[in-house]
Amino acid sequence: MHDSLTLVVILLTTAVFAVVVFRRLHLPPILAYLGAGVLAGPGGFGWVGDTSGMQHLAEFGIVFLLFSLGLEFSIPRLLALRRVVFGAGPLQVLLTALPVIALLWWLAPTPAVALIGGAAFALSSTAMVIRDLIARGAVNTGYGRAATGVLLFQDLAAVILLVLLPVLADPGTGNPLTTAAATLGKAVLLFAGIYVIGKWVLPRALEETGRTRSDEVFVMTALLLALLAAWVTHALGLSMALGAFLAGMMLGESHFRHQIEADIRPFRDLLLGLFFMGVGMLVSPALFVDYWYWILIGASLLMVLKLAVVTAVLRLLGERRETALRTGVLLAQGGEFGFVLMALAVTHGLISNEQAGVLVSITVLTMAVTPALLEHSGTLTRRLLRQWEQEPDTPAVDEATAGHVLLCGYGRVGQNLMRYLHRFHHQAVAIDTDLVRIQEASQAGERILYGDATRKEILERAGIHRASLLVVTFDDARQAERILHTAHQLCPDLRVLVRTRDDAHLDELLAAGAAEVVPEVLEASLMLVAHALMMLETPFGKVLAMLRQSRRERYKLLRGYYHGESLPTADRAGNPYRLLHAVTVHGQAAAIGKRLGDLGLAGGKVEVQSLRREDRTLAHPDDDTVLLDGDILILYGPLEAVEAAEEQLLGG
């Protein structure tokens, strides 16, 4: 295909379609770009026959990727995690790479394939893992810090590998060790030079640029900095990516970091998309037919090896077994820098397209299963450690302990509740699965057991038969339902108090046997209402009566709200969200003149919260209410049911 514009349109169309489809499947965009490249490449539909031109353009994607990595690369964070970064990091890379190199050297026709494959497979996906940790608020957990530390060293190792790759590609330059040492020496000198420029020159230049108050000038300056650093390192015979990384790292310590990152993101994402499409073009669908069993075996062995190595290395450094194993689960996949190494190896002629295609296919397969691993890493870790759960010495509560409160979960809410129970001279026993928390609380004299509160034997060890109240203090409705089921099997008359985030599971938990459910969002709303009324000098007695009535009615007045444009269709557990929606019946609406009780809105799935008629509002109108022209009904229920009820009211 010789028409460049047609080629660009087809590539972008394929990429957009692939990203949309992969988003629906909850798979990362990287896989979408790779899939688009497979379709467009010589092994697919053949829209791109010669990939060399695209590979050169895509190299700029690597430049901007490393520049962004440098912006996010924090030296203080590196020093704070130095024990994991410089302890677990090097061991993980070596202990993963060496077995892979040995195996590939035995299977592959050239040592270069073994070295590139071992180096690429030792790296995990920084983008996928860090994004997931941030989304879950788990960056500062034990496994979050361990994963971040290992990934930081992997990123450093990737930069060093990119620097040394040209040396491996050109063995005619002399002794490889001497050449590598000279190359690293150049890199150190370059680092010193860029450090001086980045510390004293670039901030002043950016300040002058910022004074122009021109977004265009600032964007051009950001692009110039990344490309200029890449050009300098290329002129010195080093990798372009190294210069971009060093420039980004120097600017990452300045207050311009976030603005620069935002400015270059569109260019980076577009060029990286082209880069990953170029990597996908190395893969031929025929490879899966010829080597599918090797690809499956390779992906499985790689994930098991990385999980075992990361777990063993972190245990060697003294990390808890659960932290080490969960970190191993998070880092078991291949990563995007593996693609970078393979693509550059093909560009330098170190490995063939077919060899790279097999290695890329193995990495893609590991990344394809990573979203599921990240989502269920906690559950998978607990299952793998099921036999170890009884390891802590957790003696049963003695027979003398009776009438106590049993707390399931000892996080912040559980600890606050324990303090107030002690203040009012009530005994309390907590159950939790966090060993560090248990050790700290036990040393402070708290009565806390290790175990899963959904299991009968753990509740029995905590003295559930003698307890006066059980409280679920954590926000997990599904776990709470299981605890309710188990507790009522053991003690049918025991009262259970459950905490939830909102009212999404209120009815299910009450139906499961909860005596009371406390939705924290609705309680916060009630407290805000109470404070506002008292600041308006409403008598305290009336405010207290309002609070009691709201709780007696199970927060009926507070349930549901008007969503804005960002309407969520389901909660975190996948259940449909309930919302309020106003519908006006007028003109030829089918519901005019009919009784509410005769309508059966959406099969009873929708509740009429109130009815506005002229200047009056009827709260919870009864079934005998006849609808008149101009009535406004406030409906409450799941989105699809509310839409069906509106259609029924207006169209019949």
Side-chain angles (χ1 to χ4, degrees):
M1 183 176 294
H2 302 289
D3 188 342
S4 299
L5 179 59
T6 305
L7 174 62
V8 170
V9 170
I10 290 176
L11 288 177
L12 289 178
T13 303
T14 308
V16 169
F17 178 77
V19 169
V20 170
V21 172
F22 276 61
R23 284 286 190 188
R24 292 289 181 91
L25 298 174
H26 303 289
L27 293 173
I30 291 175
L31 299 183
Y33 290 124
L34 291 168
V38 172
L39 292 177
F45 293 110
W47 296 328
V48 181
D50 181 13
T51 61
S52 58
M54 186 169 178
Q55 293 292 346
H56 288 304
L57 178 63
E59 281 189 43
F60 288 103
I62 303 171
V63 168
F64 286 110
L65 173 65
L66 268 293
F67 185 70
S68 299
L69 177 64
L71 288 172
E72 297 172 2
F73 199 89
S74 170
I75 294 179
R77 184 171 62 163
L78 182 72
L79 296 176
L81 296 172
R82 59 187 177 276
R83 178 170 161 273
V84 176
V85 174
F86 299 112
L91 284 174
Q92 181 272 321
V93 170
L94 286 174
L95 294 178
T96 304
L98 290 177
V100 174
I101 291 172
L103 180 61
L104 291 179
W105 205 313
W106 178 58
L107 294 173
T110 61
V113 176
L115 293 173
I116 296 298
F121 287 159
L123 306 177
S124 302
S125 177
T126 302
M128 295 177 70
V129 175
I130 295 297
R131 188 178 300 154
D132 182 79
L133 291 174
I134 292 173
R136 297 177 188 279
V139 174
N140 291 317
T141 60
Y143 65 88
R145 289 192 295 270
T148 302
V150 174
L151 288 170
L152 279 172
F153 182 82
Q154 288 184 2
D155 292 343
L156 278 175
V159 174
I160 294 171
L161 290 169
L162 290 175
V163 172
L164 297 179
L165 194 63
V167 177
L168 184 63
D170 189 12
T173 55
N175 188 322
L177 292 178
T178 305
T179 307
T183 302
L184 289 176
K186 287 182 185 178
V188 172
L189 291 175
L190 180 66
F191 174 82
I194 289 183
Y195 179 82
V196 172
I197 295 172
K199 189 77 173 177
W200 287 284
V201 179
L202 286 183
R204 288 173 175 76
L206 288 170
E207 285 176 6
E208 291 298 324
T209 303
R211 289 194 183 99
T212 63
R213 306 278 183 183
S214 171
D215 293 337
E216 293 85 354
V217 173
F218 199 89
V219 171
M220 287 190 290
T221 304
L223 293 174
L224 176 63
L225 291 175
L227 295 176
L228 183 60
W231 174 78
V232 169
T233 51
H234 182 67
L236 293 174
L238 299 171
S239 166
M240 291 194 298
L242 174 64
F245 173 78
L246 294 176
M249 191 168 66
M250 293 303 101
L251 291 172
E253 302 299 325
S254 71
H255 57 275
F256 297 103
R257 166 194 160 189
H258 297 292
Q259 183 62 45
I260 293 173
E261 188 177 10
D263 287 339
I264 70 165
R265 183 178 294 128
F267 303 96
R268 181 198 66 190
D269 292 345
L270 176 60
L271 291 170
L272 272 179
L274 290 175
F275 167 74
F276 287 119
M277 288 180 72
V279 173
M281 291 176 189
L282 301 175
V283 180
S284 170
L287 283 171
F288 292 97
V289 177
D290 297 336
Y291 301 107
W292 64 270
Y293 46 91
W294 288 115
I295 292 170
L296 286 175
I297 293 172
S300 303
L301 289 177
L302 176 62
M303 298 192 76
V304 171
L305 173 64
K306 294 186 79 170
L307 188 152
V309 167
V310 172
T311 303
V313 166
L314 290 175
R315 284 292 292 159
L316 186 65
L317 290 180
E319 292 287 349
R320 294 191 302 117
R321 202 173 308 184
E322 184 178 4
T323 298
L325 184 55
R326 190 163 185 179
T327 306
V329 172
L330 294 179
L331 302 180
Q333 76 291 128
E336 54 275 354
F337 280 111
F339 296 137
V340 175
L341 286 173
M342 296 174 204
L344 292 181
V346 172
T347 303
H348 288 289
L350 288 169
I351 58 177
S352 67
N353 283 1
E354 184 178 10
Q355 293 165 341
V358 174
L359 299 179
V360 167
S361 300
I362 292 173
T363 307
V364 167
L365 191 56
T366 64
M367 294 179 72
V369 300
T370 295
L373 282 179
L374 296 176
E375 178 71 24
H376 303 290
S377 61
T379 304
L380 180 60
T381 302
R382 285 191 294 271
R383 286 183 179 176
L384 292 173
L385 295 175
R386 181 68 70 184
Q387 294 180 347
W388 173 67
E389 283 185 352
Q390 298 301 328
E391 182 180 336
D393 183 19
T394 54
V397 174
D398 58 79
E399 295 288 336
T401 302
H404 58 288
V405 178
L406 192 53
L407 307 181
C408 298
Y410 201 58
R412 186 167 187 173
V413 173
Q415 292 172 39
N416 289 336
L417 179 55
M418 178 81 85
R419 291 166 189 160
Y420 277 92
L421 289 172
H422 287 167
R423 174 169 290 188
F424 286 88
H425 309 292
H426 292 287
Q427 290 184 308
V429 176
I431 302 173
D432 203 275
T433 57
D434 190 312
L435 279 175
V436 175
R437 186 181 294 157
I438 289 171
Q439 292 167 358
E440 293 281 345
S442 298
Q443 290 177 2
E446 305 289 1
R447 304 180 70 179
I448 181 168
L449 278 69
Y450 177 87
D452 182 354
T454 62
R455 295 170 60 184
K456 289 182 180 180
E457 58 269 25
I458 298 298
L459 293 175
E460 288 174 339
R461 290 167 69 86
I464 187 173
H465 294 288
R466 302 183 301 279
S468 60
L469 177 67
L470 186 148
V471 184
V472 180
T473 67
F474 52 79
D475 173 26
D476 188 331
R478 291 291 165 255
Q479 285 281 89
E481 280 193 51
R482 286 194 284 271
I483 292 173
L484 282 165
H485 178 72
T486 306
H488 284 147
Q489 278 186 331
L490 297 171
C491 300
D493 297 328
L494 180 64
R495 294 174 300 165
V496 181
L497 173 63
V498 179
R499 167 203 169 197
T500 63
R501 173 167 174 73
D502 51 33
D503 59 338
H505 303 281
L506 185 61
D507 296 330
E508 292 92 330
L509 291 169
L510 290 171
E516 292 291 342
V517 179
V518 181
E520 57 189 32
V521 172
L522 303 190
E523 276 295 325
S525 301
L526 274 183
M527 289 299 99
L528 193 62
V529 169
H531 283 289
L533 290 174
M534 286 191 289
M535 291 177 74
L536 293 171
E537 299 183 355
T538 304
F540 177 74
K542 289 187 176 181
V543 174
L544 186 60
M546 179 273 298
L547 292 175
R548 288 174 174 170
Q549 181 181 359
S550 297
R551 290 172 180 138
R552 277 198 308 271
E553 294 177 346
R554 309 291 188 193
Y555 310 95
K556 198 170 186 178
L557 189 63
L558 301 178
R559 297 178 70 178
Y561 65 101
Y562 302 106
H563 289 276
E565 292 182 4
S566 58
L567 169 64
T569 57
D571 61 19
R572 288 179 294 176
N575 301 301
Y577 249 110
R578 296 175 177 269
L579 73 155
L580 290 177
H581 180 58
V583 178
T584 304
V585 291
H586 57 77
Q588 302 299 316
I592 294 176
K594 295 183 179 179
R595 296 169 60 252
L596 273 178
D598 296 335
L599 293 174
L601 295 176
K605 296 178 182 178
V606 172
E607 175 187 342
V608 179
Q609 283 257 345
S610 60
L611 184 150
R612 287 196 60 198
R613 180 172 291 169
E614 297 177 349
D615 295 330
R616 293 180 301 140
T617 298
L618 305 176
H620 304 290
D622 56 40
D623 291 343
D624 293 327
T625 303
V626 178
L627 296 180
L628 304 179
D629 189 1
D631 283 350
I632 301 175
L633 296 172
I634 309 301
L635 307 180
Y636 172 68
L639 174 62
E640 292 184 0
V642 168
E643 290 177 345
E646 181 177 14
E647 185 177 347
Q648 185 179 350
L649 287 168
L650 301 180

